[in-house]
Amino acid sequence: MIHTAELSIKLDKEHLRFRENHYGKEPINQILNRYMIKGISIVEFSNKPIAFCKLVIDIPLILNRGNVEENDYKQVERYIKGALSIVYGDKQLFDQHHLSRIDYRFDIEVSNKNIRKIYFELFRKLKKKTAHLKKKIYLTSQYHQCKSLHIIFYDKEQERKDKNESVEMWERGVMRFEVCVERNHLKYKKYKKGEPRSLKDYFKKEKYVEYMNIYMLNICPTGDFYSYPKLEAMIAELDLSTREKLKMKEFVKCVSKGSLDTAAEKYSARTYRKYLKLFNERGINPITIPPKYKMNYLESLVKQAVL
């Protein structure tokens, strides 16, 4: 559900004095490491007009498991308070935090490396721009981003290996979908909608569902993938008019020759949305599996990521 959170906390002089008196100039993350605190890193900004610290929280690492649920919140809160108590002598600092980033994620195991590559190739056919989100493709990841949030699809195991980092047990063979909510978006939600910028509020399952549904569904058709011959046969069996079925086949051919952008450029916005809706309602993805893979079917990962 949640992967990473970033908190900002204002510091008073007594907090800075406590750290200096107890640890001198020892780096904060070295202090945390000495006390066996994992999954939390702290950067302090004491040379500003207002002193504050930034905490980056790796929640699966704190819990030592990939699956994070809403009822894990109290354990995570106690752990963060413990870290703040060690460094600054005041666990109540946590109560003053502002959430400055939250990363929601959905992991699904696809143990076959080659199948993960096929999924990634199919995701390349998504639109370059959806609403205010623009697409960027890297070696093992695809971003759809703007200033206030971004969505990522990637092969988590391969990403770790590419960075020469150890692969955690819960990251093996995983395709990951992330919705990363940035500071600007959180500030907007607070000042325009009155929603608190607190970890507790964004730890709720309903928030996770909200962000995954809104942003995944905006970008990805949710149906299963088929080869073109298989999809053509399926369309022929639909309880629709002959004209409508021919139009659906034309739409699929258009996508298969390029991408969803190719179809979006050919059709009006209204017609494009109409056919996407027709495919989604029938659990069919208009993006087809290329003939070179000699496969007729791949289950949608996105339909499992949204709730």
Side-chain angles (χ1 to χ4, degrees), residues 69-307:
E69 302 290 348
E70 184 176 338
N71 58 15
D72 291 319
Y73 173 75
K74 283 294 183 185
Q75 182 181 346
V76 173
E77 181 187 293
R78 283 194 300 270
Y79 197 89
I80 298 170
K81 283 183 172 181
L84 290 168
S85 182
I86 287 168
V87 176
Y88 296 112
D90 184 3
K91 67 180 183 179
Q92 301 307 324
L93 269 174
F94 178 81
D95 299 331
Q96 304 169 30
H97 79 267
H98 290 291
L99 189 65
S100 49
R101 174 170 165 155
I102 188 86
D103 293 356
Y104 294 115
R105 63 107 179 93
F106 176 84
D107 289 349
I108 184 162
E109 186 177 345
V110 182
S111 54
N112 188 312
K113 179 181 177 180
N114 292 324
I115 298 297
R116 296 200 300 273
K117 286 182 178 179
I118 295 172
Y119 275 119
F120 192 74
E121 182 173 335
L122 295 173
F123 291 145
R124 283 176 177 268
K125 288 182 173 280
L126 296 173
K127 286 184 72 180
K128 290 179 183 176
K129 189 173 186 293
T130 304
H132 50 290
L133 298 164
K134 293 182 180 179
K135 181 172 77 174
K136 290 185 179 180
I137 296 178
Y138 300 97
L139 187 62
T140 56
S141 59
Q142 181 176 151
Y143 284 70
H144 295 255
Q145 62 191 112
C146 65
K147 289 181 179 179
S148 59
L149 55 84
H150 60 272
I151 292 91
I152 321 172
F153 312 131
Y154 61 111
D155 180 335
K156 183 61 185 178
E157 179 176 337
Q158 193 58 48
E159 183 236 18
R160 286 288 197 193
K161 289 177 178 177
D162 290 343
K163 293 179 178 178
N164 293 317
E165 296 175 349
S166 61
V167 182
E168 299 290 350
M169 180 177 61
W170 56 82
E171 295 170 339
R172 294 172 189 164
V174 157
M175 289 290 288
R176 176 168 289 180
F177 299 78
E178 286 188 15
V179 177
C180 307
V181 186
E182 308 264 10
R183 182 169 173 264
N184 285 345
H185 184 90
L186 295 166
K187 286 176 70 176
Y188 169 82
K189 284 284 192 177
K190 178 175 174 61
Y191 294 115
K192 296 291 185 180
K193 309 272 184 170
E195 298 182 15
R197 279 176 60 190
S198 71
L199 182 60
K200 183 177 182 179
D201 280 88
Y202 281 84
F203 217 95
K204 293 175 181 175
K205 186 175 180 180
E206 65 187 72
K207 278 288 187 187
Y208 164 78
V209 171
E210 174 190 341
Y211 280 96
M212 295 299 285
N213 280 354
I214 290 173
Y215 292 102
M216 286 298 172
L217 289 176
N218 264 343
I219 292 172
C220 307
T222 56
D224 295 328
F225 298 100
Y226 298 91
S227 64
Y228 181 77
K230 175 69 175 175
L231 187 47
E232 190 176 36
M234 290 175 69
I235 291 172
E237 295 296 319
L238 293 176
D239 186 19
L240 294 169
S241 69
T242 301
R243 181 178 180 279
E244 200 75 300
K245 288 189 280 191
L246 284 172
K247 292 290 184 182
M248 288 181 78
K249 287 179 186 179
E250 286 176 10
F251 188 94
V252 171
K253 282 181 181 177
C254 187
V255 175
S256 67
K257 289 176 183 177
S259 66
L260 287 176
D261 278 314
T262 313
E265 288 164 7
K266 177 178 179 179
Y267 298 97
S268 69
R270 183 179 178 181
T271 303
Y272 175 82
R273 288 194 299 269
K274 172 188 171 181
Y275 284 105
L276 270 190
K277 186 171 183 283
L278 269 176
F279 283 108
N280 274 341
E281 287 173 346
R282 288 156 179 79
I284 299 170
N285 203 308
I287 297 172
T288 52
I289 303 170
K292 64 182 177 181
Y293 293 120
K294 299 179 181 179
M295 298 176 68
N296 282 327
Y297 171 79
L298 269 178
E299 185 177 12
S300 168
L301 301 181
V302 176
K303 73 180 181 184
Q304 300 173 65
V306 296
L307 303 170

Side-chain angles (χ1 to χ4, degrees), residues 11 16 28 43-54 88:
L11 299 171
L16 301 175
I28 295 174
V43 179
E44 186 181 285
F45 300 89
S46 55
N47 58 345
K48 306 282 185 182
I50 299 174
F52 68 97
C53 64
K54 181 178 75 175
Y88 296 112

